[in-house]
Structures are given as structure tokens and as C-alpha cells.
Amino acid sequence: MRSLEELSWLDDAIGSARVVAIGESAHYNGESYELRHRLLRYLVERHGFTAYAMESGFPEGWRVDDWVRGGEGDVGTVLATGTTSLMGLWQPMRAHLEWMRQHNATAERPVGFYGVDLGGSNASLVPGLDAVLAYLGVADPEYRVDPQLRQTAAAFGAASPFSMQQAVGALLSLPPATRDAMTAGLADLTARLVGRRLAYAERTGVEAYERVLQTMRLTVAIDSAARALTRGDQQSVMYAREAAQADTVEWILRREERIVLAAHNGHVQRWPMVMPGLPPTTSLGQHLADRLGDDYRVIATTTGAGETLNTEPDFYAGRLFVEQGPAEPGSLDAVLDARADTPYADTPNADTPYAVDLRRLSTAEESAIRAAARQRFGAFYEDLDPLAAYDVLVHLPKVTAAVPDADAVAASPDEVQQVFAAWAARQAAGQQAAAQ
């Protein structure tokens, strides 16, 4: 799928859907970034989509949106500070945003960027809270927020995913009365924003008001997840996050006619999300399917060989990726990877990605897909019904680690720079050993 013309199969696959989700099996693979970029270009140029919504923080995403619409700023800093969970620290993401900015410079209908996830890499209230406080400085300058609220939030705020474990430890060490006071303070802020809607919107404009109100709601969702963590209730954390993301997509739909949504397969699938050791959770995709019906379509990815995100503890020491072995026999990934033995053997070569429209399968194709009741998500597998979960599958025969963007890494917190330096050293050592 090299030229946009090769994506014409999308025309029938998406129909008139307002939200087209593009999933990935694991984060930070270069091939996934490139696929999403190409699909976005096609959907923008041929179908008039005007929004790219990504599994990244909502309050931070406004920096990216401003930049792709022609705002000032260094792209490396925008990548590092406008996206969360390390999503923007890669060269393919830089190319993606640069294309959006170039397109918007001449387009009659610009393409906006939105984060749909909780702020602060899903762990810190600080970015959202700071956005709310900055807004109140304009909308209600005489109002004074108790400084203890932000101090408590900062006490367990993670600067990046690499300090998330320490942040959880700091959260658990907070006295219950301090946590309760923070929750009460957030509730008071929410009530103030809601109650003074007309006055605030008149001073700042309706759009600025609506944006900060959604930011406030997502910040409260992080607090709710944090309280669940203190009880050891990890499943409620997942429930809160998936529902909050769905609410944000609906928020965007009130502003944009058609959206490309980019997130992990586990989020966008019309099937319960399953994480190792936890019961199933209602996914973002299930929420959207319930709310939007046929206006929601899902393009998922499967993978063959290559590298995948490391989920072991040494990830935090710079071993970001691990080799991905052959797919489990009988899994969805194995069925699509073994093209010589499936109905999909007409693809050009073994390294070429290809798509399967699950709504237009032959009897033999449907039988092969239906028999595959498990899918690989990086380092683990999830049980699911692919025909219920997805509309289209794109198979990536080989996936590799995306190339880091040096400017974005340099603009990141010190802990991110240190881990990426350790990863680079590991790679260099491996290459040297292979050459000997």
C-alpha cells in the first residue's frame, strides 16, 4: 500500500461513518505510525475528514492543534509537550504533524488535532489542573484557589511514564485526609465552572469555556482513578479511562463532522478490553459502538515478526523493545501472517502490508477468520471475536521500533532523555557485537 490509490478499498469499508478508528497492536512501532499517517491523508483528501484524534492527553493536545493550524513553536517541543505517554517522540509522528501543518496552510477545511485521553500520561492531575487555573485567571481573576490543591496534585504527579511507579508510591503514601481534601477541591472547582457557565463563556468565548470544562472533567477522572488505585481496584481505573475517552470523542463530534481516531486495538475494538490478571472491561470501542452504531468503524492491525514494546520492568532501564517471535498458532495474527496457506496469497510479497474487509469475506475467508479467537497485543494475547470486534484488518508482516526524534527527546524531561540514551547505548552495543 504505497500510493494513496492503493487505499481505495477504504471507500466501501468506511461508508458514511463519522468515526473511523485505526488500531495498533503495540505502541511505538514505526509501521503503525506510517499506516495511520497514510490512512489519515486518504480520509482527509478523499472523504473530507477534519479531525485526527489520538490516544494522548486532552489538555496537552491543544499545543499540537495550535501548531498544525500554523501556530508558532519548535516542532520538537510540540512533540514532547503536546503529546503524552511518549506518543510524540518519534520521527514518523513528526512527519505526520508536519504534513498536517502543510495541508492546513492551503486547505479550505483544516484538519485539527485532538488528544482523547486523560492528561499527564493518565497519571498526573497537574497538566489539566494548570489549564483550569490558567483559564480562571482570565475568566475569574478575583477568585483564589487554595494552593494546597495543586501542591497535593504535584506530590504524586509523574513527569513521564518512566516515573509512574514512583508516582503511584507517592499517591499511596498520602494521608487519606489529604486525598479527600484534593477530591473535594476538584469537586468545588467543577461546580464553580458549571455554575458560572454564562458569565465565563461571555468573558472568554464559548469554545474556550467548553474546552476547559472538558479538561476539568478529565482531571476529575484521573482523581477517580487514583482513588481506585488506593483501594487496589485496578479494574475501576480502566473503566474510568475508557468511558472518559469515549466522552471526549463525543465532545469532538460536536465540533467536527468526521474523525480519524488512533489508539491501541484494545481501546478501539467493539469487544471488552482484557488486561493480564484482570476481568474484562468495557472498552472505548464498545462505548462508541453503543452511542454511534454504524457511524463507528474499526480498522485493526495484526502483526508478524519484528519488535514490540517491552512490558517487563527493564523497560524503565532502557530496554524499550523486545523481539517478537512467531504468532501463536491459530491466532488471528498467525492466520493473516501465513498468507501462503490462506485465501490472501495474492499479495505482492511477504513484506507488504495488506487489508481484509471483514464485511466482504468469502465463505472460506470467514471460516478462517472466525476460527481465530485470539489476537496478539504485543507481549500477550487476548480472546476476542474478530468479526464482532472489527470491520477491517490490516496485517503488518514485520514491525520495527520507530526511530526517535532527536529534537523531541531533547525537549523531554531528564528521565526520558536518560532512558532513551540507555536504549541507544543498548542498540549500539548490540550492533557492535553483531559486527564482530
Side-chain angles (χ1 to χ4, degrees):
M1 297 187 298
R2 294 304 171 196
S3 72
L4 291 184
E5 294 300 330
E6 294 175 3
L7 299 177
S8 59
W9 53 267
L10 273 170
D11 299 346
D12 290 332
I14 66 166
S16 59
R18 294 192 63 198
V19 178
V20 174
I22 306 171
E24 60 182 357
S25 294
H27 295 317
Y28 320 138
N29 283 125
E31 291 75 14
S32 296
Y33 279 107
E34 291 164 6
L35 173 68
R36 293 187 302 198
H37 181 189
R38 289 170 49 72
L39 295 184
L40 173 69
R41 286 191 59 184
Y42 188 87
L43 292 172
V44 167
E45 295 177 5
R46 306 297 173 86
H47 292 274
F49 280 67
T50 58
Y52 183 74
M54 186 176 178
E55 184 187 339
S56 183
F58 179 83
E60 295 90 344
W62 296 106
R63 299 169 194 165
V64 180
D65 184 67
D66 178 70
W67 190 83
V68 300
R69 294 179 189 269
E72 296 183 0
D74 171 73
V75 64
T77 302
V78 170
L79 287 164
T81 63
T83 63
T84 60
S85 303
L86 313 179
M87 295 294 184
L89 306 187
W90 313 94
Q91 287 184 11
M93 190 64 200
R94 181 191 188 111
H96 185 122
L97 297 188
E98 289 177 337
W99 175 83
M100 291 180 68
R101 183 179 172 97
Q102 181 181 17
H103 170 84
N104 288 342
T106 58
E108 292 185 9
R109 301 180 66 193
V111 181
F113 180 96
Y114 298 86
V116 300
D117 216 342
L118 308 179
S121 295
N122 311 306
S124 176
L125 285 75
V126 171
L129 189 55
D130 281 350
V132 172
L133 296 178
Y135 176 84
L136 288 173
V138 176
D140 198 351
E142 296 182 358
Y143 179 61
R144 295 291 178 264
V145 179
D146 183 353
Q148 187 63 42
L149 179 61
R150 191 188 185 285
Q151 291 171 15
T152 302
F156 67 93
S160 81
F162 296 119
S163 57
M164 198 169 294
Q165 292 178 324
Q166 297 93 314
V168 171
L171 168 68
L172 297 178
S173 68
L174 286 175
T178 301
R179 295 199 301 266
D180 291 344
M182 182 179 68
T183 298
L186 293 172
D188 288 344
L189 271 184
T190 303
R192 190 172 189 89
L193 285 170
V194 172
R196 290 162 174 78
R197 175 185 181 278
L198 294 180
Y200 286 178
E202 183 178 358
R203 294 172 191 167
T204 67
V206 173
E207 187 60 27
Y209 170 80
E210 293 292 344
R211 180 191 302 183
V212 82
L213 182 60
Q214 181 64 14
T215 298
M216 187 74 245
R217 288 168 174 158
L218 293 172
T219 304
V220 169
I222 299 175
D223 178 59
S224 174
R227 294 182 71 85
L229 271 180
T230 64
R231 303 190 302 269
D233 183 3
Q234 295 186 31
Q235 191 178 25
S236 288
V237 174
M238 295 172 61
Y239 271 114
R241 183 184 175 197
E242 298 302 297
Q245 290 183 91
D247 290 343
T248 304
V249 172
E250 278 202 305
W251 186 93
I252 300 169
L253 275 175
R254 293 195 289 271
R255 291 149 180 82
E256 305 282 0
E257 184 61 30
R258 306 186 82 180
I259 301 171
V260 175
L261 171 63
H264 194 284
N265 286 337
H267 292 303
V268 300
Q269 64 190 22
R270 291 189 301 265
W271 193 260
M273 173 184 275
V274 179
M275 296 294 289
L278 293 176
T281 302
T282 304
S283 68
L284 161 65
Q286 286 182 292
H287 282 293
L288 294 180
D290 177 66
R291 301 178 194 187
L292 302 177
D294 208 38
D295 269 339
Y296 179 63
R297 300 289 173 88
V298 186
I299 301 171
T301 57
T302 55
T303 61
E307 299 172 289
T308 192
L309 184 66
N310 181 20
T311 58
E312 296 299 321
D314 57 354
F315 169 83
Y316 300 94
R319 190 171 179 235
L320 300 185
F321 295 86
V322 294
E323 284 298 317
Q324 180 170 271
E328 178 184 282
S331 67
L332 186 62
D333 301 81
V335 169
L336 271 71
D337 202 46
R339 288 176 294 177
D341 301 319
T342 70
Y344 317 118
D346 57 348
T347 52
N349 60 68
D351 294 326
T352 302
Y354 67 98
V356 179
D357 188 339
L358 299 179
R359 295 188 171 203
R360 291 169 175 77
L361 295 173
S362 68
T363 301
E365 291 171 337
E366 180 176 346
S367 177
I369 296 294
R370 190 176 296 281
R374 285 167 63 79
Q375 182 178 5
R376 176 164 60 186
F377 286 173
F380 67 95
Y381 286 79
E382 177 181 315
D383 294 337
L384 86 169
D385 178 351
L387 295 177
Y390 307 130
D391 298 294
V392 174
L393 293 172
V394 175
H395 185 67
L396 304 174
K398 185 175 182 179
V399 288
T400 56
V403 177
D405 185 87
D407 293 334
V409 174
S412 299
D414 289 344
E415 63 190 33
V416 174
Q417 296 183 46
Q418 292 168 7
V419 172
F420 271 71
W423 178 43
R426 281 177 176 269
Q427 290 180 303
Q431 292 170 357
Q432 183 177 7
Q436 292 176 349

